[in-house]
Amino acid sequence: MVYRIDSLDESAYNPITQKEYDASWVILRLTDSRDYQLLTSSSGYAYCVKISRKEHPKWKTAVGDFISFHEGSGCNALLVMSEDVLAAVRSDYAGHSCRDPFLRQYEPPVLIHSTPLPCYEKILQDQMLKSWNRLQAEGALSETQPIGAKLGDPVDFRNYIMFGDGVSSEIVVNSKQIGRIAMDVNAPYQTGARLYFDAAKMAADGLLLRDGCHIKVKDALPLSPYLIFAATWETIGLEKQLSTPAEFSALADEAFSRRFKHAL
C-alpha cells in the first residue's frame, strides 16, 4: 500500500500504524535540497529515499516510478509531500508504469552488473543471473545476508538483481570479497566479471523494473539474449587479476566501447 502524509518526524513511530516501523516499510521524502538529486539512507527505523525537486531533472517521473513500483511490490510506502504535489506527479506520470516496455530518453541503453569470478563461473553454468533470495533458496550461498545489508538495504532488495554504472559495481564486488563496505576506488582487489546487458531488450520483454532509485530485474535474468559482453581481467588485456575498482571499471568500459562502438 502507498500512503501520503504532509510531514514526518524523524522517529521510529509510524503515523500510519501507530507502531514502530517494520521491515515492510519504505519512506520517500520530496525535498528542496540543493545538496543532492537523490539520496538513500537507513536511519535505524526505516529505509528512506530523498528526492530533490530542485536538483533532480526528472523528479516527477522518479516519484511516479516509486509509487508505481510499490503499489505492486507488496511493500508499504509512505510519501512525504503535499496532496497538490502528489496530484501533479500523478498527472505528469499518466500513461507510464515502472514496467514501461521501452527505455526513456534519459535511461542508459546498457546496464552493468559485476560479480566475483567464482560467482561468474556459477552464472555461466546456470546461464542466468539470480537474485540473492533465489540463490539462497537453492542452497547456493554460504553467507547469511548480502553485503547490502551493511548499508541498511531493505530485505525486499534480496528479491532483485541490481544494476549499476561507473565504478559503483566494482565497489560492490570488493566489499563482498572483504566482508565490509569498502569505498576506496584505488584499493587493490581481485577483479571479477563485469557484465554488460542490453537494457532496451530487457525493457521490451517486460523484465525491467524501476523503483525511483534503481533499475532492476526480479528473481532471475537469462544471459541470452540480453548479455552483450563479459569483461574479465583476461578479456580486457590486464596482465593479472589484481587491479583496483577505478582501473578495472575504466578499462572494461573502454574495451566495451571499442568493441561495440558505443560510449558508456
Side-chain angles (χ1 to χ4, degrees), residues 107-138:
E107 289 180 326
V110 177
L111 295 174
I112 297 170
H113 178 88
S114 293
T115 187
L117 279 183
C119 297
Y120 179 51
E121 292 168 1
K122 184 65 167 62
I123 289 168
L124 289 178
Q125 291 175 10
D126 295 340
Q127 281 298 292
M128 67 173 57
L129 292 179
K130 297 177 181 179
S131 70
W132 193 91
N133 273 350
R134 171 77 174 265
L135 290 169
Q136 186 188 50
E138 294 177 355

PDB file of all heavy atoms in Angstrom, residues 107-138:
ATOM      1  N   GLU A 107      17.407   7.153 -20.055  1.00  0.00           N
ATOM      2  CA  GLU A 107      17.847   5.914 -19.417  1.00  0.00           C
ATOM      3  C   GLU A 107      18.993   5.267 -20.184  1.00  0.00           C
ATOM      4  O   GLU A 107      19.044   5.339 -21.421  1.00  0.00           O
ATOM      5  CB  GLU A 107      16.669   4.944 -19.303  1.00  0.00           C
ATOM      6  CG  GLU A 107      15.645   5.376 -18.274  1.00  0.00           C
ATOM      7  CD  GLU A 107      14.471   4.431 -18.162  1.00  0.00           C
ATOM      8  OE1 GLU A 107      14.057   3.842 -19.185  1.00  0.00           O
ATOM      9  OE2 GLU A 107      13.936   4.289 -17.033  1.00  0.00           O
ATOM     10  N   PRO A 108      19.918   4.608 -19.495  1.00  0.00           N
ATOM     11  CA  PRO A 108      21.084   4.027 -20.166  1.00  0.00           C
ATOM     12  C   PRO A 108      20.697   2.830 -21.033  1.00  0.00           C
ATOM     13  O   PRO A 108      19.918   1.979 -20.599  1.00  0.00           O
ATOM     14  CB  PRO A 108      21.977   3.579 -18.996  1.00  0.00           C
ATOM     15  CG  PRO A 108      21.028   3.352 -17.857  1.00  0.00           C
ATOM     16  CD  PRO A 108      19.961   4.402 -18.029  1.00  0.00           C
ATOM     17  N   PRO A 109      21.233   2.749 -22.247  1.00  0.00           N
ATOM     18  CA  PRO A 109      20.927   1.609 -23.117  1.00  0.00           C
ATOM     19  C   PRO A 109      21.651   0.332 -22.710  1.00  0.00           C
ATOM     20  O   PRO A 109      21.302  -0.759 -23.163  1.00  0.00           O
ATOM     21  CB  PRO A 109      21.391   2.086 -24.494  1.00  0.00           C
ATOM     22  CG  PRO A 109      22.461   3.083 -24.199  1.00  0.00           C
ATOM     23  CD  PRO A 109      22.050   3.774 -22.931  1.00  0.00           C
ATOM     24  N   VAL A 110      22.681   0.492 -21.869  1.00  0.00           N
ATOM     25  CA  VAL A 110      23.456  -0.653 -21.398  1.00  0.00           C
ATOM     26  C   VAL A 110      23.470  -0.634 -19.877  1.00  0.00           C
ATOM     27  O   VAL A 110      23.757   0.397 -19.261  1.00  0.00           O
ATOM     28  CB  VAL A 110      24.902  -0.620 -21.940  1.00  0.00           C
ATOM     29  CG1 VAL A 110      25.710  -1.791 -21.373  1.00  0.00           C
ATOM     30  CG2 VAL A 110      24.900  -0.659 -23.460  1.00  0.00           C
ATOM     31  N   LEU A 111      23.150  -1.774 -19.271  1.00  0.00           N
ATOM     32  CA  LEU A 111      23.160  -1.909 -17.818  1.00  0.00           C
ATOM     33  C   LEU A 111      24.289  -2.843 -17.405  1.00  0.00           C
ATOM     34  O   LEU A 111      24.584  -3.827 -18.101  1.00  0.00           O
ATOM     35  CB  LEU A 111      21.830  -2.449 -17.317  1.00  0.00           C
ATOM     36  CG  LEU A 111      20.621  -1.541 -17.536  1.00  0.00           C
ATOM     37  CD1 LEU A 111      19.334  -2.255 -17.134  1.00  0.00           C
ATOM     38  CD2 LEU A 111      20.774  -0.248 -16.735  1.00  0.00           C
ATOM     39  N   ILE A 112      24.906  -2.541 -16.265  1.00  0.00           N
ATOM     40  CA  ILE A 112      26.092  -3.277 -15.824  1.00  0.00           C
ATOM     41  C   ILE A 112      25.826  -3.968 -14.495  1.00  0.00           C
ATOM     42  O   ILE A 112      25.255  -3.385 -13.572  1.00  0.00           O
ATOM     43  CB  ILE A 112      27.296  -2.314 -15.688  1.00  0.00           C
ATOM     44  CG1 ILE A 112      27.651  -1.716 -17.055  1.00  0.00           C
ATOM     45  CG2 ILE A 112      28.512  -3.046 -15.102  1.00  0.00           C
ATOM     46  CD1 ILE A 112      28.662  -0.585 -16.993  1.00  0.00           C
ATOM     47  N   HIS A 113      26.248  -5.220 -14.436  1.00  0.00           N
ATOM     48  CA  HIS A 113      26.199  -5.976 -13.180  1.00  0.00           C
ATOM     49  C   HIS A 113      27.558  -6.646 -13.004  1.00  0.00           C
ATOM     50  O   HIS A 113      28.022  -7.355 -13.899  1.00  0.00           O
ATOM     51  CB  HIS A 113      25.096  -7.032 -13.223  1.00  0.00           C
ATOM     52  CG  HIS A 113      25.023  -7.867 -11.983  1.00  0.00           C
ATOM     53  ND1 HIS A 113      24.273  -7.509 -10.886  1.00  0.00           N
ATOM     54  CD2 HIS A 113      25.626  -9.048 -11.659  1.00  0.00           C
ATOM     55  CE1 HIS A 113      24.400  -8.421  -9.947  1.00  0.00           C
ATOM     56  NE2 HIS A 113      25.220  -9.368 -10.393  1.00  0.00           N
ATOM     57  N   SER A 114      28.196  -6.428 -11.867  1.00  0.00           N
ATOM     58  CA  SER A 114      29.509  -7.011 -11.609  1.00  0.00           C
ATOM     59  C   SER A 114      29.422  -8.068 -10.528  1.00  0.00           C
ATOM     60  O   SER A 114      28.598  -7.976  -9.610  1.00  0.00           O
ATOM     61  CB  SER A 114      30.498  -5.922 -11.183  1.00  0.00           C
ATOM     62  OG  SER A 114      30.747  -5.031 -12.249  1.00  0.00           O
ATOM     63  N   THR A 115      30.305  -9.056 -10.631  1.00  0.00           N
ATOM     64  CA  THR A 115      30.269 -10.178  -9.704  1.00  0.00           C
ATOM     65  C   THR A 115      31.663 -10.783  -9.568  1.00  0.00           C
ATOM     66  O   THR A 115      32.465 -10.711 -10.515  1.00  0.00           O
ATOM     67  CB  THR A 115      29.271 -11.243 -10.216  1.00  0.00           C
ATOM     68  OG1 THR A 115      29.096 -12.262  -9.242  1.00  0.00           O
ATOM     69  CG2 THR A 115      29.743 -11.873 -11.517  1.00  0.00           C
ATOM     70  N   PRO A 116      32.014 -11.369  -8.424  1.00  0.00           N
ATOM     71  CA  PRO A 116      33.311 -12.053  -8.288  1.00  0.00           C
ATOM     72  C   PRO A 116      33.421 -13.221  -9.267  1.00  0.00           C
ATOM     73  O   PRO A 116      32.399 -13.793  -9.689  1.00  0.00           O
ATOM     74  CB  PRO A 116      33.298 -12.546  -6.832  1.00  0.00           C
ATOM     75  CG  PRO A 116      32.329 -11.646  -6.128  1.00  0.00           C
ATOM     76  CD  PRO A 116      31.267 -11.330  -7.152  1.00  0.00           C
ATOM     77  N   LEU A 117      34.642 -13.615  -9.598  1.00  0.00           N
ATOM     78  CA  LEU A 117      34.834 -14.675 -10.590  1.00  0.00           C
ATOM     79  C   LEU A 117      34.190 -16.010 -10.204  1.00  0.00           C
ATOM     80  O   LEU A 117      33.584 -16.672 -11.068  1.00  0.00           O
ATOM     81  CB  LEU A 117      36.330 -14.872 -10.881  1.00  0.00           C
ATOM     82  CG  LEU A 117      36.963 -13.890 -11.867  1.00  0.00           C
ATOM     83  CD1 LEU A 117      38.419 -14.255 -12.107  1.00  0.00           C
ATOM     84  CD2 LEU A 117      36.201 -13.855 -13.187  1.00  0.00           C
ATOM     85  N   PRO A 118      34.275 -16.455  -8.946  1.00  0.00           N
ATOM     86  CA  PRO A 118      33.592 -17.718  -8.611  1.00  0.00           C
ATOM     87  C   PRO A 118      32.086 -17.653  -8.861  1.00  0.00           C
ATOM     88  O   PRO A 118      31.480 -18.640  -9.302  1.00  0.00           O
ATOM     89  CB  PRO A 118      33.909 -17.903  -7.124  1.00  0.00           C
ATOM     90  CG  PRO A 118      35.179 -17.157  -6.904  1.00  0.00           C
ATOM     91  CD  PRO A 118      35.073 -15.956  -7.803  1.00  0.00           C
ATOM     92  N   CYS A 119      31.482 -16.498  -8.596  1.00  0.00           N
ATOM     93  CA  CYS A 119      30.050 -16.330  -8.868  1.00  0.00           C
ATOM     94  C   CYS A 119      29.779 -16.326 -10.370  1.00  0.00           C
ATOM     95  O   CYS A 119      28.766 -16.876 -10.833  1.00  0.00           O
ATOM     96  CB  CYS A 119      29.538 -15.039  -8.242  1.00  0.00           C
ATOM     97  SG  CYS A 119      29.653 -14.992  -6.437  1.00  0.00           S
ATOM     98  N   TYR A 120      30.687 -15.726 -11.132  1.00  0.00           N
ATOM     99  CA  TYR A 120      30.526 -15.693 -12.585  1.00  0.00           C
ATOM    100  C   TYR A 120      30.571 -17.096 -13.169  1.00  0.00           C
ATOM    101  O   TYR A 120      29.806 -17.426 -14.099  1.00  0.00           O
ATOM    102  CB  TYR A 120      31.619 -14.822 -13.204  1.00  0.00           C
ATOM    103  CG  TYR A 120      31.576 -14.739 -14.711  1.00  0.00           C
ATOM    104  CD1 TYR A 120      30.398 -14.410 -15.380  1.00  0.00           C
ATOM    105  CD2 TYR A 120      32.720 -14.997 -15.471  1.00  0.00           C
ATOM    106  CE1 TYR A 120      30.360 -14.324 -16.768  1.00  0.00           C
ATOM    107  CE2 TYR A 120      32.688 -14.910 -16.856  1.00  0.00           C
ATOM    108  CZ  TYR A 120      31.504 -14.588 -17.501  1.00  0.00           C
ATOM    109  OH  TYR A 120      31.475 -14.509 -18.878  1.00  0.00           O
ATOM    110  N   GLU A 121      31.433 -17.932 -12.622  1.00  0.00           N
ATOM    111  CA  GLU A 121      31.505 -19.314 -13.106  1.00  0.00           C
ATOM    112  C   GLU A 121      30.171 -20.033 -12.892  1.00  0.00           C
ATOM    113  O   GLU A 121      29.717 -20.799 -13.740  1.00  0.00           O
ATOM    114  CB  GLU A 121      32.641 -20.047 -12.394  1.00  0.00           C
ATOM    115  CG  GLU A 121      34.021 -19.524 -12.781  1.00  0.00           C
ATOM    116  CD  GLU A 121      35.127 -20.044 -11.883  1.00  0.00           C
ATOM    117  OE1 GLU A 121      34.814 -20.836 -10.964  1.00  0.00           O
ATOM    118  OE2 GLU A 121      36.290 -19.653 -12.096  1.00  0.00           O
ATOM    119  N   LYS A 122      29.533 -19.770 -11.751  1.00  0.00           N
ATOM    120  CA  LYS A 122      28.219 -20.367 -11.478  1.00  0.00           C
ATOM    121  C   LYS A 122      27.157 -19.773 -12.406  1.00  0.00           C
ATOM    122  O   LYS A 122      26.265 -20.482 -12.883  1.00  0.00           O
ATOM    123  CB  LYS A 122      27.829 -20.120 -10.022  1.00  0.00           C
ATOM    124  CG  LYS A 122      26.526 -20.789  -9.596  1.00  0.00           C
ATOM    125  CD  LYS A 122      26.643 -22.297  -9.638  1.00  0.00           C
ATOM    126  CE  LYS A 122      25.488 -23.012  -8.941  1.00  0.00           C
ATOM    127  NZ  LYS A 122      24.187 -22.757  -9.552  1.00  0.00           N
ATOM    128  N   ILE A 123      27.260 -18.473 -12.689  1.00  0.00           N
ATOM    129  CA  ILE A 123      26.335 -17.818 -13.617  1.00  0.00           C
ATOM    130  C   ILE A 123      26.437 -18.466 -15.000  1.00  0.00           C
ATOM    131  O   ILE A 123      25.417 -18.715 -15.665  1.00  0.00           O
ATOM    132  CB  ILE A 123      26.630 -16.306 -13.698  1.00  0.00           C
ATOM    133  CG1 ILE A 123      26.214 -15.618 -12.389  1.00  0.00           C
ATOM    134  CG2 ILE A 123      25.927 -15.669 -14.891  1.00  0.00           C
ATOM    135  CD1 ILE A 123      26.713 -14.197 -12.263  1.00  0.00           C
ATOM    136  N   LEU A 124      27.650 -18.763 -15.438  1.00  0.00           N
ATOM    137  CA  LEU A 124      27.829 -19.403 -16.739  1.00  0.00           C
ATOM    138  C   LEU A 124      27.232 -20.809 -16.746  1.00  0.00           C
ATOM    139  O   LEU A 124      26.642 -21.235 -17.753  1.00  0.00           O
ATOM    140  CB  LEU A 124      29.319 -19.462 -17.094  1.00  0.00           C
ATOM    141  CG  LEU A 124      29.977 -18.132 -17.440  1.00  0.00           C
ATOM    142  CD1 LEU A 124      31.468 -18.332 -17.711  1.00  0.00           C
ATOM    143  CD2 LEU A 124      29.308 -17.474 -18.638  1.00  0.00           C
ATOM    144  N   GLN A 125      27.363 -21.529 -15.647  1.00  0.00           N
ATOM    145  CA  GLN A 125      26.768 -22.861 -15.557  1.00  0.00           C
ATOM    146  C   GLN A 125      25.243 -22.782 -15.657  1.00  0.00           C
ATOM    147  O   GLN A 125      24.605 -23.561 -16.361  1.00  0.00           O
ATOM    148  CB  GLN A 125      27.167 -23.531 -14.250  1.00  0.00           C
ATOM    149  CG  GLN A 125      28.636 -23.911 -14.157  1.00  0.00           C
ATOM    150  CD  GLN A 125      28.996 -24.459 -12.787  1.00  0.00           C
ATOM    151  OE1 GLN A 125      28.132 -24.726 -11.951  1.00  0.00           O
ATOM    152  NE2 GLN A 125      30.280 -24.614 -12.538  1.00  0.00           N
ATOM    153  N   ASP A 126      24.668 -21.811 -14.934  1.00  0.00           N
ATOM    154  CA  ASP A 126      23.209 -21.651 -14.912  1.00  0.00           C
ATOM    155  C   ASP A 126      22.685 -20.938 -16.152  1.00  0.00           C
ATOM    156  O   ASP A 126      21.487 -21.005 -16.448  1.00  0.00           O
ATOM    157  CB  ASP A 126      22.775 -20.853 -13.679  1.00  0.00           C
ATOM    158  CG  ASP A 126      23.055 -21.580 -12.379  1.00  0.00           C
ATOM    159  OD1 ASP A 126      23.227 -22.812 -12.420  1.00  0.00           O
ATOM    160  OD2 ASP A 126      23.097 -20.919 -11.324  1.00  0.00           O
ATOM    161  N   GLN A 127      23.583 -20.205 -16.819  1.00  0.00           N
ATOM    162  CA  GLN A 127      23.202 -19.364 -17.954  1.00  0.00           C
ATOM    163  C   GLN A 127      22.176 -18.306 -17.558  1.00  0.00           C
ATOM    164  O   GLN A 127      21.326 -17.923 -18.360  1.00  0.00           O
ATOM    165  CB  GLN A 127      22.696 -20.200 -19.124  1.00  0.00           C
ATOM    166  CG  GLN A 127      23.807 -20.849 -19.949  1.00  0.00           C
ATOM    167  CD  GLN A 127      24.714 -19.825 -20.607  1.00  0.00           C
ATOM    168  OE1 GLN A 127      24.317 -19.091 -21.509  1.00  0.00           O
ATOM    169  NE2 GLN A 127      25.963 -19.754 -20.136  1.00  0.00           N
ATOM    170  N   MET A 128      22.285 -17.827 -16.309  1.00  0.00           N
ATOM    171  CA  MET A 128      21.413 -16.748 -15.861  1.00  0.00           C
ATOM    172  C   MET A 128      21.948 -16.128 -14.580  1.00  0.00           C
ATOM    173  O   MET A 128      22.696 -16.758 -13.828  1.00  0.00           O
ATOM    174  CB  MET A 128      19.980 -17.236 -15.636  1.00  0.00           C
ATOM    175  CG  MET A 128      19.787 -18.208 -14.489  1.00  0.00           C
ATOM    176  SD  MET A 128      18.019 -18.561 -14.182  1.00  0.00           S
ATOM    177  CE  MET A 128      17.484 -19.171 -15.773  1.00  0.00           C
ATOM    178  N   LEU A 129      21.574 -14.871 -14.379  1.00  0.00           N
ATOM    179  CA  LEU A 129      21.772 -14.212 -13.096  1.00  0.00           C
ATOM    180  C   LEU A 129      20.588 -14.548 -12.208  1.00  0.00           C
ATOM    181  O   LEU A 129      19.455 -14.664 -12.698  1.00  0.00           O
ATOM    182  CB  LEU A 129      21.839 -12.690 -13.265  1.00  0.00           C
ATOM    183  CG  LEU A 129      23.026 -12.077 -13.987  1.00  0.00           C
ATOM    184  CD1 LEU A 129      22.846 -10.567 -14.050  1.00  0.00           C
ATOM    185  CD2 LEU A 129      24.320 -12.420 -13.303  1.00  0.00           C
ATOM    186  N   LYS A 130      20.842 -14.663 -10.902  1.00  0.00           N
ATOM    187  CA  LYS A 130      19.764 -14.946  -9.964  1.00  0.00           C
ATOM    188  C   LYS A 130      19.844 -13.992  -8.785  1.00  0.00           C
ATOM    189  O   LYS A 130      20.937 -13.560  -8.395  1.00  0.00           O
ATOM    190  CB  LYS A 130      19.851 -16.391  -9.464  1.00  0.00           C
ATOM    191  CG  LYS A 130      19.676 -17.429 -10.559  1.00  0.00           C
ATOM    192  CD  LYS A 130      19.852 -18.842 -10.031  1.00  0.00           C
ATOM    193  CE  LYS A 130      19.709 -19.874 -11.135  1.00  0.00           C
ATOM    194  NZ  LYS A 130      19.914 -21.262 -10.630  1.00  0.00           N
ATOM    195  N   SER A 131      18.702 -13.665  -8.223  1.00  0.00           N
ATOM    196  CA  SER A 131      18.665 -12.796  -7.046  1.00  0.00           C
ATOM    197  C   SER A 131      19.249 -13.521  -5.845  1.00  0.00           C
ATOM    198  O   SER A 131      19.376 -14.755  -5.830  1.00  0.00           O
ATOM    199  CB  SER A 131      17.221 -12.391  -6.746  1.00  0.00           C
ATOM    200  OG  SER A 131      16.480 -13.517  -6.264  1.00  0.00           O
ATOM    201  N   TRP A 132      19.574 -12.750  -4.797  1.00  0.00           N
ATOM    202  CA  TRP A 132      20.130 -13.334  -3.581  1.00  0.00           C
ATOM    203  C   TRP A 132      19.153 -14.331  -2.977  1.00  0.00           C
ATOM    204  O   TRP A 132      19.551 -15.425  -2.565  1.00  0.00           O
ATOM    205  CB  TRP A 132      20.465 -12.227  -2.579  1.00  0.00           C
ATOM    206  CG  TRP A 132      21.312 -12.697  -1.438  1.00  0.00           C
ATOM    207  CD1 TRP A 132      22.668 -12.701  -1.366  1.00  0.00           C
ATOM    208  CD2 TRP A 132      20.848 -13.253  -0.188  1.00  0.00           C
ATOM    209  NE1 TRP A 132      23.092 -13.218  -0.166  1.00  0.00           N
ATOM    210  CE2 TRP A 132      22.008 -13.566   0.582  1.00  0.00           C
ATOM    211  CE3 TRP A 132      19.589 -13.511   0.339  1.00  0.00           C
ATOM    212  CZ2 TRP A 132      21.919 -14.119   1.860  1.00  0.00           C
ATOM    213  CZ3 TRP A 132      19.497 -14.072   1.621  1.00  0.00           C
ATOM    214  CH2 TRP A 132      20.652 -14.374   2.361  1.00  0.00           C
ATOM    215  N   ASN A 133      17.875 -13.990  -2.927  1.00  0.00           N
ATOM    216  CA  ASN A 133      16.885 -14.899  -2.351  1.00  0.00           C
ATOM    217  C   ASN A 133      16.727 -16.174  -3.174  1.00  0.00           C
ATOM    218  O   ASN A 133      16.528 -17.258  -2.623  1.00  0.00           O
ATOM    219  CB  ASN A 133      15.527 -14.201  -2.209  1.00  0.00           C
ATOM    220  CG  ASN A 133      15.414 -13.446  -0.893  1.00  0.00           C
ATOM    221  OD1 ASN A 133      16.252 -13.571  -0.008  1.00  0.00           O
ATOM    222  ND2 ASN A 133      14.365 -12.650  -0.758  1.00  0.00           N
ATOM    223  N   ARG A 134      16.814 -16.048  -4.485  1.00  0.00           N
ATOM    224  CA  ARG A 134      16.720 -17.240  -5.349  1.00  0.00           C
ATOM    225  C   ARG A 134      17.913 -18.158  -5.082  1.00  0.00           C
ATOM    226  O   ARG A 134      17.747 -19.380  -4.938  1.00  0.00           O
ATOM    227  CB  ARG A 134      16.681 -16.794  -6.813  1.00  0.00           C
ATOM    228  CG  ARG A 134      16.787 -17.891  -7.855  1.00  0.00           C
ATOM    229  CD  ARG A 134      15.491 -18.660  -8.040  1.00  0.00           C
ATOM    230  NE  ARG A 134      15.631 -19.599  -9.153  1.00  0.00           N
ATOM    231  CZ  ARG A 134      15.253 -19.344 -10.408  1.00  0.00           C
ATOM    232  NH1 ARG A 134      14.695 -18.175 -10.721  1.00  0.00           N
ATOM    233  NH2 ARG A 134      15.398 -20.250 -11.352  1.00  0.00           N
ATOM    234  N   LEU A 135      19.103 -17.591  -4.985  1.00  0.00           N
ATOM    235  CA  LEU A 135      20.292 -18.389  -4.723  1.00  0.00           C
ATOM    236  C   LEU A 135      20.245 -19.036  -3.341  1.00  0.00           C
ATOM    237  O   LEU A 135      20.627 -20.193  -3.165  1.00  0.00           O
ATOM    238  CB  LEU A 135      21.541 -17.518  -4.845  1.00  0.00           C
ATOM    239  CG  LEU A 135      21.885 -17.058  -6.266  1.00  0.00           C
ATOM    240  CD1 LEU A 135      22.970 -15.987  -6.225  1.00  0.00           C
ATOM    241  CD2 LEU A 135      22.336 -18.240  -7.119  1.00  0.00           C
ATOM    242  N   GLN A 136      19.751 -18.284  -2.372  1.00  0.00           N
ATOM    243  CA  GLN A 136      19.640 -18.841  -1.024  1.00  0.00           C
ATOM    244  C   GLN A 136      18.661 -20.011  -0.995  1.00  0.00           C
ATOM    245  O   GLN A 136      18.920 -21.046  -0.363  1.00  0.00           O
ATOM    246  CB  GLN A 136      19.201 -17.765  -0.040  1.00  0.00           C
ATOM    247  CG  GLN A 136      19.197 -18.243   1.420  1.00  0.00           C
ATOM    248  CD  GLN A 136      18.577 -17.245   2.359  1.00  0.00           C
ATOM    249  OE1 GLN A 136      17.481 -16.757   2.109  1.00  0.00           O
ATOM    250  NE2 GLN A 136      19.284 -16.929   3.435  1.00  0.00           N
ATOM    251  N   ALA A 137      17.535 -19.863  -1.684  1.00  0.00           N
ATOM    252  CA  ALA A 137      16.534 -20.931  -1.722  1.00  0.00           C
ATOM    253  C   ALA A 137      17.083 -22.189  -2.379  1.00  0.00           C
ATOM    254  O   ALA A 137      16.680 -23.308  -2.039  1.00  0.00           O
ATOM    255  CB  ALA A 137      15.288 -20.450  -2.466  1.00  0.00           C
ATOM    256  N   GLU A 138      18.039 -22.007  -3.307  1.00  0.00           N
ATOM    257  CA  GLU A 138      18.641 -23.144  -3.994  1.00  0.00           C
ATOM    258  C   GLU A 138      19.828 -23.724  -3.227  1.00  0.00           C
ATOM    259  O   GLU A 138      20.464 -24.679  -3.691  1.00  0.00           O
ATOM    260  CB  GLU A 138      19.072 -22.728  -5.406  1.00  0.00           C
ATOM    261  CG  GLU A 138      17.905 -22.381  -6.311  1.00  0.00           C
ATOM    262  CD  GLU A 138      18.345 -21.892  -7.679  1.00  0.00           C
ATOM    263  OE1 GLU A 138      19.576 -21.738  -7.889  1.00  0.00           O
ATOM    264  OE2 GLU A 138      17.469 -21.658  -8.538  1.00  0.00           O
TER     265      GLU A 138
END
